[in-house]
Amino acid sequence: MTKTCKRRRGPSTITTPEIRKQICDLYNLHNWTVKNICERYKMADKTIRDIIKRFDQEGTVHYKPRGGVSRKAQLKKEHEAFLRTMVDETEDETLLTLNQLREHLYSSFPYDFLNTEENNPLLSLATLSRHVDKKLVLSLKRKKQQHDKSLLISLQDQHRIEFYASLKKHDINDVVFVDKSDFSASMVYSKARSKRNTKSNKPKPIKHISIIGAMSLKRIESMQVVMIDKATDKFIFALFVENLLAWLDNAYGRPMCVLMDTDRLSPRETIENLFEKSQHTCLFLPLYSDLNPMEIMFNNLVHFVKRSPDKNNEGIADLIQEAKHTIQPTDCECWINQCINGMTDSESV
């Protein structure tokens, strides 16, 4: 009895050794033709001829052995135990990758994962990864870095102490603080009332406003309000510092000390080059510090602009200049002393 096996190129017939032996007997002993055998067993002419040819040459009716050495690696229990031992004994600082785990398996079990005919490894990284994930139930996750908070705080305090030691070399009356702040469209109303089915005449949002200011113990030395792109922000700050140094020469005529945050405002080399050409000195505030009183002044300006009923897109720059006149010399002195007291507290810790 024959069976039909469906393949991509069409149906083909699978025969048993008994049927193949009957075909050979009919052809050799009973003198049947190939055509008669094809009609009886409903098989192709080439199939019948191949069966008879192989019987005449090799004397067998069995199928030819097909396939070669299996390339699929089998991870056994001893391999799993070895992998778990490697993962458990490895220190956290030296993480073993899949390539390294596979190399350790090859060296420990050379005859289990090597194709001797082609000398190619049988264990793929995908197979090893699935085994580690499914069998060992292990996953590769980012390890949380445990930072010593006390060490970070001590470093910040050390920077504050070093900065205050440099500041004490100058008279507080000769110190000028410089900083920058930003105003955006969130400072302006974005809603307005209008009739039904009509657009409201709400103001367009502001592109960007940068405020750069300088303050001494007695007054606000300079303030600039410009509407610019953030790409040109650093060039505007460098120009402001250059004009400020010229203003200090005309107003005081003596060396002054200027404090600023330069890492986020303008390249440090540009600022240092400007001070090398002048009689003034520059001190850079420590990173992530709240020692600049200009931040307190900017907060008061923001509060004034937000509470003003006359703010709009066209006049917000004039409104900021108007808010500058509300700041008194006593306010400047109070804000600077507040930051100085914060430096002294760090020194006493």
Side-chain angles (χ1 to χ4, degrees), residues 30-291:
H30 301 284
N31 298 324
W32 279 42
T33 62
V34 175
K35 181 179 180 181
N36 294 333
I37 297 174
C38 293
E39 292 176 352
R40 177 174 179 176
Y41 292 98
K42 296 181 179 180
M43 298 171 61
D45 181 272
K46 187 176 183 308
T47 304
I48 299 296
R49 294 184 184 276
D50 289 342
I51 294 174
I52 296 173
K53 180 179 179 181
R54 186 160 185 268
F55 180 78
D56 295 338
Q57 293 178 354
E58 302 179 9
T60 179
V61 293
H62 294 280
Y63 285 106
K64 292 182 179 180
R66 298 182 181 274
V69 180
S70 176
R71 296 178 179 272
K72 187 175 181 181
Q74 299 291 335
L75 288 171
K76 302 177 182 179
K77 291 184 179 180
E78 55 267 23
H79 305 149
E80 180 179 344
F82 176 78
L83 288 174
R84 191 176 295 276
T85 303
M86 291 296 299
V87 173
D88 293 340
E89 292 181 355
T90 305
E91 299 179 358
D92 295 337
E93 289 78 7
T94 57
L95 178 66
L96 291 178
T97 62
L98 291 176
N99 278 319
Q100 293 172 341
L101 288 176
R102 185 171 65 176
E103 292 299 328
H104 285 297
L105 280 174
Y106 290 164
S107 60
S108 301
F109 306 94
Y111 299 103
D112 294 348
F113 301 102
L114 195 65
N115 187 351
T116 56
E117 295 182 357
E118 300 181 3
N119 198 23
N120 293 326
L122 300 177
L123 183 62
S124 64
L125 292 179
T127 302
L128 182 59
S129 177
R130 286 193 300 268
H131 188 81
V132 171
D133 186 22
K134 302 296 182 182
K135 299 294 183 180
L136 301 182
V137 195
L138 297 176
S139 61
L140 185 63
K141 297 180 180 178
R142 187 180 298 276
K143 186 173 63 175
K144 294 183 179 180
Q145 299 291 338
Q146 300 294 336
H147 299 286
D148 190 355
K149 295 183 179 180
S150 59
L151 178 61
L152 295 177
I153 295 175
S154 62
L155 289 175
Q156 292 179 0
D157 292 338
Q158 183 65 28
H159 293 162
R160 286 169 176 256
I161 293 172
E162 294 175 357
F163 174 77
Y164 183 61
S166 302
L167 182 61
K168 286 194 298 184
K169 300 178 182 179
H170 304 274
D171 187 2
I172 192 61
N173 294 311
D174 296 338
V175 175
V176 178
F177 294 86
V178 177
D179 201 359
K180 183 184 75 69
S181 181
D182 298 328
F183 279 73
S184 60
S186 60
M187 304 298 176
V188 183
Y189 288 125
S190 60
K191 296 181 180 179
R193 295 188 180 277
S194 63
K195 294 183 179 181
R196 191 181 299 275
N197 299 327
T198 59
K199 294 183 178 181
S200 61
N201 296 324
K202 62 180 181 180
K204 296 181 180 180
I206 296 176
K207 187 176 183 181
H208 183 75
I209 289 184
S210 289
I211 307 175
I212 309 174
M215 181 176 63
S216 64
L217 189 66
K218 298 180 180 179
R219 62 184 177 182
I220 296 178
E221 298 293 341
S222 176
M223 180 175 290
Q224 184 178 3
V225 182
V226 289
M227 298 181 62
I228 58 175
D229 294 328
K230 290 189 176 181
T232 59
D233 210 345
K234 56 183 179 181
F235 304 106
I236 296 296
F237 182 78
L239 181 60
F240 174 83
V241 172
E242 184 178 0
N243 295 333
L244 175 65
L245 296 180
W247 160 259
L248 294 177
D249 290 335
N250 297 330
Y252 294 95
R254 64 178 186 272
M256 303 289 288
C257 178
V258 181
L259 280 69
M260 68 179 68
D261 295 319
T262 185
D263 291 330
R264 63 184 181 86
L265 299 179
S266 185
R268 187 169 183 145
E269 297 179 356
T270 304
I271 301 299
E272 290 177 346
N273 293 334
L274 292 176
F275 278 91
E276 288 178 359
K277 300 176 182 178
S278 66
Q279 61 176 343
H280 310 289
T281 59
C282 179
L283 289 180
F284 300 120
L285 291 165
L287 293 176
Y288 312 110
S289 65
D290 53 352
L291 305 179

Side-chain angles (χ1 to χ4, degrees), residues 1-7 9-16 19-20 23 38 40-45 47-48 51 63 66:
M1 183 177 181
T2 60
K3 297 181 181 179
T4 302
C5 177
K6 293 184 179 180
R7 293 186 180 179
R9 61 176 180 266
S12 61
T13 303
I14 300 177
T15 58
T16 61
I19 295 178
R20 298 167 71 89
I23 292 173
C38 293
R40 177 174 179 176
Y41 292 98
K42 296 181 179 180
M43 298 171 61
D45 181 272
T47 304
I48 299 296
I51 294 174
Y63 285 106
R66 298 182 181 274

Side-chain angles (χ1 to χ4, degrees), residues 326-349:
T326 62
I327 298 175
Q328 302 298 324
T330 55
D331 297 329
C332 299
E333 183 178 0
C334 178
W335 297 334
I336 292 177
N337 290 331
Q338 180 178 346
C339 293
I340 296 297
N341 293 334
M343 299 179 195
T344 56
D345 292 340
S346 299
E347 187 181 27
S348 62
V349 170

